[in-house]
Amino acid sequence: VGNSLNASSVTGTIATADQYVGRFAPSPTGPLHFGSLVAAVASYLQARAHDGRWLVRIEDIDPPREQPGASDLILEALERYGFEWDGDVIYQSRNHAAHEAALQRLLEDGLAYPCGCSRRDLANAPRGPLGIIYPGTCRDGCVARETAIRLRTTDDPVAFVDGLQGAITQRLESESGDFVIRRRDGLIAYQLAVVVDDELQGITEVVRGIDIIDSTPRQIWLQRLLGFRTPGYLHIPVVTHPDGDKLSKLTGAPAIPLEDVRPVLIAALVALQQDPPTTLAQNTLDDIWGWARENWNLEPLQGLTAVRVDQIAGFGLTVTPQLQ
Ligand code: GLU
């Protein structure tokens, strides 16, 4: 008994070479709302279904967008809902040295360059679905004092097969142009930080909302230039208000309740197209997770891009916008 206990506690804390490692990576811009709960549940169940590890990483590298206390509220909500993460919570801001080292490498290798273009300079730049398509103004040098750093791109297709959404391809040079990896205000851009941290933490599969799928080719491009592995990707549908707008802080999505969490967790399973028995809400939180783990099924999520919150009926959930 002693031995087997030992063995299981070791595998619970140390990743082996081929072990599944997943993560939930919220930005502390506000408390968890129902849409982020759904993303957390999906990544958690996918990791547990693979006997993998599940990490929580607070993406706190954009102070202007952060809300004081949000990290603690997010972690408290995860605890109340019965999530059990492996190891300590990771704070992305503590990986600053690794982000800077990656940036320096890209600069030294000539793969990235300073860009002094202001928003005004780019006012007439072409726009596409990914935003401004950077026209390459500073590719061959720039004299500005305050600069962003951009990553060079080419038009070779960057393709991947999403586990739920199928094949995705972008030609970065024409769809986004060279993109920012360090902002003019000195902050490391999300695209670079997420790639460095996923590599550092040995993430084998990323499960997250489809609202970020358009960033994935840029992240894969960064992984290639930095010599990192590309994890698998599953982009789950976003949860929207009845009018089709994504639930978010901006659209007034309320925080998920911290009391009486079971119906809300079940509603998250329904949003993920799982088919919990109606009696499940009478069970304990542990039982609900047990059912969810045993019955986790990606099939009904294939190709699904959005779930309207008003279509998740019958579990006492109300998610009404509360614009402040
Ligand atoms: N921090 C990002 C967010 O909260 C998610 C990043 C990711 O999962 O790659 O939207």
Side-chain angles (χ1 to χ4, degrees):
V1 174
N3 270 346
S4 65
L5 265 182
N6 248 342
S8 64
S9 68
V10 167
T11 48
T13 51
I14 298 167
T16 53
D18 52 3
Q19 191 176 14
Y20 183 105
V21 186
R23 48 60 158 196
F24 175 54
S27 303
T29 52
L32 278 195
H33 56 72
F34 186 68
S36 30
L37 175 70
V38 167
V41 170
S43 68
Y44 187 57
L45 289 174
Q46 180 70 358
R48 291 296 178 246
H50 285 83
D51 289 325
R53 310 184 74 220
W54 186 72
L55 312 182
V56 172
R57 181 171 78 221
I58 302 282
E59 303 214 313
D60 57 343
I61 51 156
D62 192 353
R65 284 186 58 227
E66 279 159 32
Q67 191 185 84
S71 300
D72 290 343
L73 285 175
I74 290 171
L75 295 174
E76 187 188 352
L78 291 176
E79 266 178 37
R80 295 277 184 111
Y81 279 78
F83 289 90
E84 291 173 358
W85 52 88
D86 292 295
D88 292 335
V89 171
I90 298 150
Y91 289 86
Q92 190 164 48
S93 57
R94 298 191 191 149
N95 287 340
H96 185 69
H99 304 154
E100 278 296 328
L103 184 76
Q104 288 312 320
R105 235 173 74 204
L106 293 167
L107 282 167
E108 279 160 23
D109 292 348
L111 298 169
Y113 60 87
C115 164
C117 294
S118 65
R119 218 166 274 220
R120 239 191 30 225
D121 295 331
L122 295 175
N124 296 322
R127 293 190 143 263
L130 306 181
I132 279 179
I133 302 166
Y134 184 65
T137 323
C138 297
R139 264 192 169 177
D140 300 318
C142 99
V143 288
R145 253 195 300 156
E146 223 181 276
T147 59
I149 306 287
R150 286 185 187 270
L151 187 71
R152 288 184 200 278
T153 54
T154 71
D155 251 347
D156 296 339
V158 179
F160 72 102
V161 179
D162 186 88
L164 293 177
Q165 310 298 338
I168 309 280
T169 304
Q170 281 176 5
R171 293 176 187 271
L172 292 175
E173 191 174 11
S174 28
E175 292 185 55
S176 71
D178 299 346
F179 58 91
V180 171
I181 53 176
R182 197 199 69 194
R183 292 167 14 185
R184 249 156 92 86
D185 59 9
L187 294 174
I188 297 289
Y190 157 69
Q191 307 290 5
L192 178 59
V194 79
V195 160
V196 170
D197 287 8
D198 284 342
E199 169 75 11
L200 278 180
Q201 286 138 29
I203 304 300
T204 61
E205 185 174 69
V206 171
V207 181
R208 61 186 176 190
I210 200 171
D211 50 315
I212 318 182
I213 199 166
D214 280 349
S215 285
T216 308
R218 276 171 283 177
Q219 294 172 13
I220 292 172
W221 181 243
L222 265 165
Q223 288 154 3
R224 289 188 191 157
L225 297 185
L226 288 164
F228 296 167
R229 291 160 307 174
T230 291
Y233 287 97
L234 291 183
H235 288 90
I236 60 159
V238 281
V239 182
T240 72
H241 294 287
D243 64 4
D245 280 348
K246 181 196 161 203
L247 291 194
S248 74
K249 196 183 151 198
L250 285 178
T251 58
I256 47 170
L258 299 182
E259 307 291 338
D260 198 16
V261 302
R262 291 171 304 157
V264 185
L265 178 58
I266 290 175
L269 295 172
V270 174
L272 288 164
Q273 313 298 304
Q274 309 301 296
D275 196 10
T278 39
T279 52
L280 194 61
Q282 291 142 28
N283 293 5
T284 65
L285 197 52
D286 270 358
D287 290 337
I288 297 172
W289 279 120
W291 181 89
R293 254 196 312 269
E294 263 166 50
N295 294 282
W296 177 236
N297 179 13
L298 288 175
E299 209 42 52
L301 284 170
Q302 289 292 337
L304 195 65
T305 58
V307 176
R308 268 174 44 192
V309 79
D310 56 315
Q311 290 169 342
I312 308 163
F315 294 96
L317 177 80
T318 46
V319 182
T320 36
Q322 291 171 354
L323 289 165
Q324 276 130 27

